[in-house]
Amino acid sequence: MLRVAGARLLDDRDRAGVRAALEADPVAACMVAARVEVAGLDPWRLGGELWSVGPRLDGLCFSGANLVPLRGERSALRSFADRARRHGRGCSSLVGRAELVLPLWDELAPAWAPARELRPDQPLMVLAGPPTITPDPLVRPVRPEEIDVYLPAAVAMFTEEVGVDPRAGDGGAGYRARVAELVSAGRAFARFEDGQVVFKAEIGALSSQVGQIQGVWVHPSKRGLGYGTIGTAAVADRLAALGRVSSLYVNGFNHVARSVYGKIGFTQVASFATVLF
């Protein structure tokens, strides 16, 4: 069997080809495309590296805080695994299309296992246009001076969803900085009642075509009352006004959330998988 040459590091000379590859799969590639559009391919500005296999970028993978395979056959994924093993694991997760993540994890598991958790079935959902239900008019962008009220809700969401406290290790400085960045960019949204957050969500990545909604959370005292449905619709409505497709991915076992997103008009277009470390 012919073996594909090892993965190579891309730079700004490859930018046109990378942009074309990302635009060919705009929803699944949104997280990486948003970075590349702003920062180019220089690793320092990008916050990671882009690796390729093949003269026409037949395989493509982002390596940073997350390892994100973007395209490639099994031989290309094997090359990415080889390079990742040589570098050592510096990512907190492996995430992307399930048909890429799961075979890449098969290659990496002998060196990187055990993972803290494997989530093999995460429907990737899309809404092209405004929501099909009336958005919550009380959901609005969080103001910078409200970050101390917003942050506990963000921490609660992260802890519930990921299973670890994002303040561990550095006392929360890094997570606070990330949340503050989203707030400053106008990409953190909330509904406030009696001085506390009862609904929150963020646009975690925003490319020229797609906005990826993340961190959807409802205060425990308000769950089951429809806050999540109309609140998420409000964020999707903002993205529609910006001319962006709304996307998100959700755990396959979370039938309540999948039902909520279906009511808003989201439909599944692919499946993601995540390996958490």
Side-chain angles (χ1 to χ4, degrees):
M1 179 182 294
L2 181 65
R3 182 175 175 82
V4 174
R8 68 181 180 93
L9 175 65
L10 301 180
D11 58 33
D12 275 326
R13 291 171 295 182
D14 304 290
R15 190 166 182 172
V18 169
R19 288 288 295 270
L22 298 176
E23 288 171 1
D25 192 12
V27 175
C30 175
M31 289 182 285
V32 177
R35 289 172 172 266
V36 170
E37 288 173 7
V38 172
L41 302 187
D42 176 76
W44 186 85
R45 290 183 288 116
L46 185 61
E49 298 180 346
L50 267 170
W51 305 338
S52 173
V53 167
R56 293 183 296 275
L57 308 186
D58 302 306
L60 193 63
C61 184
F62 174 78
S63 175
N66 305 300
L67 187 63
V68 186
L70 295 158
R71 64 194 301 183
E73 301 295 333
R74 187 69 186 238
S75 56
L77 298 175
R78 190 174 299 117
S79 294
F80 295 143
D82 289 343
R83 188 175 182 108
R85 279 192 297 266
R86 290 196 302 271
H87 281 217
R89 186 180 67 78
C91 59
S92 61
S93 71
L94 171 57
V95 61
R97 283 184 171 272
E99 65 267 28
L100 300 174
V101 166
L102 297 177
L104 179 56
W105 176 236
D106 286 344
E107 298 288 342
L108 286 169
W112 285 11
R116 184 167 56 81
E117 187 177 354
L118 171 63
R119 300 179 178 180
D121 175 26
Q122 297 177 303
L124 177 65
M125 307 183 77
V126 162
L127 174 63
T132 56
I133 63 170
T134 302
D136 187 347
L138 297 181
V139 169
R140 59 170 176 79
V142 179
R143 304 183 188 106
E145 64 270 20
E146 295 172 320
I147 189 169
D148 287 329
V149 178
Y150 182 77
L151 191 61
V155 169
M157 176 282 305
F158 190 99
T159 304
E160 289 179 24
E161 175 63 23
V162 181
V164 296
D165 190 326
R167 299 167 296 186
D170 65 355
Y175 187 67
R176 182 187 177 93
R178 170 58 177 160
V179 171
E181 179 184 351
L182 290 170
V183 170
S184 296
R187 287 164 40 195
F189 299 84
R191 173 170 173 165
F192 295 87
E193 289 183 3
D194 300 322
Q196 68 176 358
V197 173
V198 295
F199 166 84
K200 68 161 289 292
E202 296 141 4
I203 302 171
L206 184 65
S207 74
S208 59
Q209 298 185 61
V210 180
Q212 185 175 23
I213 300 172
Q214 67 175 32
V216 177
W217 180 86
V218 177
H219 191 281
S221 68
K222 302 295 184 181
R223 292 175 185 174
L225 301 178
Y227 281 66
T229 307
I230 59 175
T232 305
V235 181
D237 195 51
R238 295 269 183 162
L239 284 167
L242 293 173
R244 303 305 207 280
V245 170
S246 294
S247 77
L248 52 81
Y249 61 100
V250 59
N251 290 316
F253 57 78
N254 193 341
H255 298 291
V256 172
R258 293 174 67 179
S259 176
V260 163
Y261 300 141
K263 290 176 183 176
I264 297 167
F266 283 89
T267 58
Q268 183 176 353
V269 295
S271 291
F272 263 25
T274 302
V275 183
L276 295 168
F277 300 111

